[in-house]
């Protein structure tokens, strides 16, 4: 079978999934990925957990997750943080974000972005993993 017709997101059963995003390759630095959009919520979504990892450590930058309620919001100057800021101080280590449970609801039409702050970085191949769900308690 060559394909199948699509299903509207409002008809899906509840989603429970992990989203994995790699911010850079060995040729780039994550500083180039500042304010990168990680996820678009086509349905109301809740972030239950998030992790960040790297193959090259760096203590000069912080990585924080933010909710953007408008497409024109710049995560560097606006948006709502829903995690603490992590420093990638060790390689091949999954740093678990502390999720702010009063801010981790991502309304339909909103986006999740990562805000990177600090001086130049040596960190490479940064990977972010989000555990999300669409069912509310």
């Amino acid at each position: 079978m060559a394909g199948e017709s699509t299903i509207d997101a409002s008809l899906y059963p509840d989603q429970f999934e992990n989203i994995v995003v790699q911010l850079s390759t060995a040729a780039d630095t994550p500083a180039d990925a500042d304010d990168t959009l990680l996820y678009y919520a086509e349905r109301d979504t809740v972030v239950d957990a998030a992790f960040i990892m790297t193959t090259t450590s760096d203590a000069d930058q912080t990585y924080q997750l933010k909710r953007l309620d408008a497409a024109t919001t710049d995560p560097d100057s606006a948006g709502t943080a829903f995690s603490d800021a992590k420093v990638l101080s060790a390689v091949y280590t999954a740093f678990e974000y502390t999720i702010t449970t009063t801010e981790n609801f991502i309304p339909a039409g909103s986006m999740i972005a990562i805000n990177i702050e600090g001086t130049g970085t040596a960190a490479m191949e940064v990977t972010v993993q989000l555990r999300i769900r669409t069912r509310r308690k």
Side-chain angles (χ1 to χ4, degrees):
M1 184 190 265
E4 191 170 328
S5 61
T6 61
I7 298 174
D8 185 82
S10 64
L11 301 175
Y12 288 155
D14 296 325
Q15 292 176 311
F16 297 88
E17 61 186 316
N18 285 319
I19 307 297
V20 178
V21 179
Q22 187 165 347
L23 295 179
S24 64
T25 65
D28 300 316
T29 64
D32 297 333
D34 192 13
D35 307 334
T36 294
L37 300 174
L38 303 177
Y39 183 79
Y40 171 74
E42 62 180 326
R43 297 173 62 173
D44 288 350
T45 301
V46 176
V47 178
D48 283 324
F51 301 86
I52 190 166
M53 299 141 273
T54 187
T55 60
T56 306
S57 65
D58 192 319
D60 296 330
Q61 301 242 255
T62 61
Y63 299 77
Q64 186 171 42
L65 300 172
K66 289 187 171 185
R67 177 185 72 242
L68 305 180
D69 295 326
T72 57
T73 303
D74 177 1
D76 206 29
S77 59
T80 302
F82 65 88
S83 77
D84 58 340
K86 288 297 179 194
V87 174
L88 304 180
S89 57
V91 299
Y92 302 108
T93 301
F95 292 97
E96 183 172 6
Y97 280 103
T98 301
I99 301 296
T100 306
T101 57
T102 56
E103 300 295 345
N104 65 334
F105 174 69
I106 314 299
S110 300
M111 291 171 265
I112 296 173
I114 190 159
N115 186 37
I116 304 170
E117 295 292 335
T119 60
T121 183
M124 291 185 188
E125 298 176 349
V126 174
T127 301
V128 177
Q129 178 175 316
L130 305 169
R131 189 173 74 234
I132 66 165
R133 62 184 159 90
T134 57
R135 181 185 298 168
R136 306 255 342 241
K137 292 183 191 179

